[in-house]
Amino acid sequence: SQLISDITRLKQAGAKLVWTLHNRLPHDATAEAIEIAGRMHRFVAEQFDLVFVMGEEARQEASKHFDLSKIRLVPHTSYQYVYGAPVPRNQARERLKLPADDFIFETLGTIRPYKGLELIVEAFKGLEGNNLRLLIAGGVKSPEYLEQLRQLTSSDERILIHGAEKRIPAEDMALWLGVPDAAVFGFKNILTSGSAILALSYGLPVIAPKSGDIPAVVVPEQTGFLYEQNNVDSLREAMQKAAESQILDHMRFMAGVFMERVSPEIITAQTEEIYAHLLGIDID
């Protein structure tokens, strides 16, 4: 491919090459994409000088393909204030015409099959309570998948879907992040989640599968609730616990504590040190 040709020329010219492993496979991967990913992994293992991973589980996954001496673990940085200051919940709900006192679960991000949104819908529909709401908001990659979700949710007026044509504008993200009591994710297969990090960065307790490196940041009784991946009953139980929890304020505080540990300043310094060592540069 053109990419491999370009990388080969860079390597021959003496460039140092660095790869970041985000996930095991591309999202919503076809059989062809999986085969291409396998070839790319083998190529990277041979040609690249370093491979960045963002957690211990990702390191273990990378070690199946790459020499351990090439792997560097640098945690996913936080997104604190990337989209501006958080919008207070009462203001966010008023602006979006959402109930002020209801308990709102939100899944925010691109509406795609790998997100497992139908799993979230099925779990939520089994919860009782007219004070509960599920908000699905994000850009639409697959109109067919959006229509499938609309059919699944048509019988439950507590579920709201906001499908943007491309994506939610950056200037509106803090508004949407200000709405929920908890963020919920239904990933079918995940290694590292920027969406979960974004939610935590804005002080939201997170409900997510016990998969990949998610348990390193979504910690029960501290920053959120874990469930067994692709298990509707387990997800419903986690959502019920969140709705009944008396320690969500504590979780919001702890989310901030966790994200301070991976602030952009801290992660930038770690990354600079690795690059400096690779290039033989003294940055002291």
Side-chain angles (χ1 to χ4, degrees):
S1 73
Q2 185 62 48
L3 175 61
I4 288 178
S5 297
D6 290 344
I7 290 171
T8 300
R9 282 197 294 272
L10 284 171
K11 186 68 174 178
Q12 291 171 345
K16 299 293 185 181
L17 303 178
V18 178
W19 180 272
T20 299
L21 180 70
H22 288 276
N23 284 296
R24 297 180 179 91
L25 294 168
H27 296 315
D28 301 327
T30 62
E32 181 183 12
I34 291 171
E35 195 274 332
I36 291 172
R39 292 207 311 265
M40 197 65 191
H41 282 161
R42 290 189 290 273
F43 176 75
V44 169
E46 295 171 358
Q47 301 295 327
F48 278 61
D49 298 279
L50 292 180
V51 176
F52 279 110
V53 298
M54 301 184 203
E56 190 54 48
E57 191 71 20
R59 192 210 302 263
Q60 294 300 319
E61 181 68 26
S63 69
K64 299 175 185 178
H65 308 282
F66 312 119
D67 188 324
L68 277 173
S69 66
K70 294 185 176 183
I71 299 172
R72 300 292 184 273
L73 196 164
V74 177
H76 196 306
T77 186
S78 79
Y79 290 108
Q80 285 179 310
Y81 303 114
V82 165
Y83 294 112
V87 177
R89 186 177 307 139
N90 60 336
Q91 294 180 25
R93 293 188 180 190
E94 182 179 0
R95 287 171 61 182
L96 292 171
K97 296 180 172 55
L98 294 168
D101 298 322
D102 285 359
F103 191 100
I104 298 180
F105 300 97
E106 181 184 68
T107 182
L108 180 65
T110 308
I111 297 175
R112 295 176 63 178
Y114 87 90
K115 296 285 186 75
L117 302 179
E118 69 277 14
L119 184 81
I120 298 173
V121 168
E122 188 175 350
F124 179 82
K125 287 168 70 174
L127 296 175
E128 296 182 359
N130 291 328
N131 66 318
L132 301 180
R133 295 282 184 274
L134 171 62
L135 177 59
I136 299 171
V140 178
K141 283 284 187 178
S142 167
E144 296 79 12
Y145 185 57
L146 177 64
E147 181 57 30
Q148 176 189 344
L149 288 175
R150 292 198 187 282
Q151 291 179 10
L152 286 173
T153 61
S154 61
S155 62
D156 195 328
E157 295 181 351
R158 302 174 301 165
I159 304 175
L160 308 171
I161 300 178
H162 175 79
E165 184 175 346
K166 293 183 178 179
R167 61 175 58 191
I168 292 177
E171 60 268 24
D172 292 339
M173 286 294 289
L175 177 64
W176 288 94
L177 287 161
V179 165
D181 294 278
V184 57
F185 301 101
F187 303 116
K188 294 179 178 179
N189 184 11
I190 199 71
L191 187 61
T192 304
S193 171
S195 299
I197 295 292
L198 174 60
L200 290 168
S201 297
Y202 277 77
L204 295 176
V206 169
I207 304 165
K210 195 185 303 179
S211 176
D213 283 307
I214 285 180
V217 292
V218 180
V219 180
E221 306 299 321
Q222 294 191 52
T223 58
F225 306 84
L226 293 171
Y227 65 90
E228 298 300 324
Q229 191 170 39
N230 299 319
N231 186 314
V232 172
D233 292 336
S234 181
L235 172 53
R236 182 180 298 121
E237 181 181 351
M239 295 174 77
Q240 186 71 53
K241 286 181 180 178
E244 296 175 351
S245 177
Q246 301 298 310
I247 61 169
L248 292 185
D249 285 340
H250 168 71
M251 289 185 173
R252 294 183 189 100
F253 171 79
M254 290 304 299
V257 171
F258 270 61
M259 291 299 97
E260 284 295 333
R261 297 172 185 168
V262 289
S263 69
E265 293 78 13
I266 291 174
I267 300 306
T268 296
Q270 291 181 19
T271 306
E272 283 182 344
E273 184 175 350
I274 291 170
Y275 275 118
H277 187 267
L278 175 65
L279 298 171
I281 299 172
D282 186 355
I283 61 173
D284 292 336

